Amino acid sequence: MKASGHNKKDKVNIIDDIFSEIEKDIENDLSFSTNSKDDFCVTIRRIFIKEKAYRNPALSRDTLIKRMDIGRSIFIKRFQYCFGMSFRECVNRLRLKESVILLEQSDLTIEEIAEKVGFGTIRTFQRQFMAMYNTSPKEYRKVKQGQTGINSNI
């Protein structure tokens, strides 16, 4: 047990709990308007949050376009409207945010984390992590675990 009172498995599942709470908020939020842009935003958020679609390495903009039966240019414009960034950037940010939690709170290997959050290869994970946080996942974990006194075999 760590000082926080949670075991490692509990901490690994924190992100699932967070997403469940967000999902409940979305489902209970009746304040969004019914225009098609807002409906699109709600649908995409449900796909990412409830289904955790970003964890699928094969996820692509085209698969969602086909699933939602929407035109490519409309999808791109609406996605930008909803998230203020491109589809790929959003997916990578979700993957990286979950990876940070796992690096800090689990004993999963770097390879296991890359796979769990949806990166197709360890190299892609490392490259994206470096671009976002200006450090490698291994170094990030070492620094964070050094701050909390957690010992881990990487």
Side-chain angles (χ1 to χ4, degrees), residues 46-103:
R46 283 188 178 148
I47 290 169
F48 282 148
I49 294 166
K50 186 175 183 176
E51 299 175 23
K52 295 179 180 70
Y54 66 89
R55 288 181 175 173
N56 179 354
L59 178 68
S60 72
R61 180 177 55 202
D62 290 339
T63 58
L64 286 182
I65 288 169
K66 190 174 193 176
R67 176 178 172 181
M68 297 177 76
D69 193 27
I70 191 171
R72 183 182 181 92
S73 63
I74 293 172
F75 180 93
I76 292 168
K77 287 176 186 172
R78 288 186 182 168
F79 197 93
Q80 183 71 32
Y81 166 82
C82 296
F83 298 100
M85 65 186 76
S86 72
F87 173 78
R88 182 57 39 211
E89 185 179 359
C90 183
V91 169
N92 283 335
R93 283 185 182 206
L94 288 168
R95 289 172 176 169
L96 289 169
K97 284 183 181 207
E98 184 174 3
S99 74
V100 164
I101 292 169
L102 294 172
L103 286 166

Side-chain angles (χ1 to χ4, degrees), residues 7-19:
N7 68 34
K8 290 175 186 172
K9 186 176 180 180
D10 288 342
K11 288 195 174 196
V12 170
N13 292 325
I14 286 174
I15 197 162
D16 291 333
D17 294 340
I18 291 167
F19 283 141

